[in-house]
Amino acid sequence: MAQEIKAVIDEKGVVSLDLEGFHGKGCKAVADAFNTLGRVTHEELKPSFNEGGGSSTVSVSH
Amino acid sequence: MSVYRTLATNLTDVDCLKKALGRVETRTGKPWNVQEHAQPVPLEGYEGKARKQTANLVIARAEVGPSSNDIGFLKGEDGTYQAIISDFDRHFHNDKWLDHLSQLYAEEKLVKTAKKAGTGFQVKSRKVVQGKIHLTFQQV
């Protein structure tokens, strides 16, 4: 599965990030790089369903 | 493993803020030229007199609109830029306008950060759905 970063920026500038296709600690490292945006209000680690790094899509509200 | 993370945007990156200020809607319909000052300078009122408020980023009153005052952004001790807008100019540059500025800033910051993250990501797609900006990044 190709690595993708999906971002949704709402009308107030709040950013929701969804990182897909990453493996292990590399995923969190990439996510941490975006902490310069501002204060993290919510985080959820999604387990991979298979060795290929597939992941489920989760909707989260802050 | 994947990560879902939500962040509240703080205006800390001056380059991204300047780009966002160049994109945000203006009263005149023309994009602003933003003046940057390492040390805060006094803002000017509509009558051309210096006000007590100071700012690092200044949008001259002539650019803001007729009878307007300078608009400024002052860098605080925590590195966050705060908008300084007169009551008169708040009619147009209100909370909704500031929210949209934050949204544009977040987009600029995301694009800049994505290039650095990992081995470099670029925007694959961008769309606006019901006021929300949706971006997808892929590695080059």
Side-chain angles (χ1 to χ4, degrees):
Chain A
M1 180 180 182
Q3 294 178 338
E4 270 193 356
I5 301 171
K6 293 183 179 178
V8 179
I9 313 168
D10 76 4
E11 297 89 332
K12 291 186 178 293
V14 176
V15 177
S16 297
L17 288 175
D18 194 354
L19 278 62
E20 295 183 346
F22 292 81
H23 295 282
K25 293 181 181 178
C27 177
K28 200 165 187 309
V30 173
D32 286 346
F34 289 93
N35 284 352
T36 53
L37 267 163
R39 180 173 52 93
V40 176
T41 60
H42 182 88
E43 179 179 283
E44 183 174 336
L45 303 180
K46 302 183 290 182
S48 298
F49 282 133
N50 53 54
E51 291 298 321
S55 60
S56 62
T57 301
V58 177
S59 297
V60 177
S61 59
H62 63 278
Chain B
M1 183 179 74
S2 297
V3 174
Y4 194 96
R5 188 173 284 183
T6 307
L7 305 101
T9 302
N10 292 331
L11 304 179
T12 56
D13 187 314
V14 68
D15 290 330
C16 292
L17 178 55
K18 283 160 56 179
K19 286 182 179 176
L21 285 167
R23 294 175 59 191
V24 75
E25 58 271 14
T26 66
R27 271 180 64 197
T28 63
K30 297 177 183 177
W32 284 340
N33 290 313
V34 180
Q35 304 165 18
E36 183 177 0
H37 303 272
Q39 296 301 319
V41 297
L43 296 177
E44 277 189 9
Y46 69 96
E47 70 279 62
K49 293 182 181 177
R51 299 276 176 100
K52 62 179 181 180
Q53 291 86 0
T54 61
N56 299 90
L57 296 182
V58 178
I59 297 93
R61 54 194 173 87
E63 299 231 16
V64 177
S67 304
S68 283
N69 309 282
D70 284 356
I71 286 179
F73 286 80
L74 179 66
K75 185 175 181 178
E77 290 184 359
D78 63 352
T80 301
Y81 286 82
Q82 297 293 329
I84 303 174
I85 304 172
S86 68
D87 287 343
F88 173 81
D89 292 304
R90 287 277 289 182
H91 289 293
F92 182 90
H93 309 94
N94 50 25
D95 287 345
K96 188 175 179 182
W97 181 88
L98 285 167
D99 283 345
H100 189 222
L101 178 66
S102 292
Q103 188 186 45
L104 293 175
Y105 169 88
E107 180 178 6
E108 294 289 341
K109 187 67 177 174
L110 270 171
V111 172
K112 180 179 180 180
T113 305
K115 281 183 182 176
K116 294 181 184 177
T119 58
F121 287 80
Q122 289 191 354
V123 178
K124 174 188 174 186
S125 68
R126 179 190 190 271
K127 57 183 178 181
V128 180
V129 180
Q130 294 182 330
K132 295 181 182 179
I133 300 175
H134 293 250
L135 298 169
T136 301
F137 297 90
Q138 270 194 344
Q139 280 182 297
V140 179

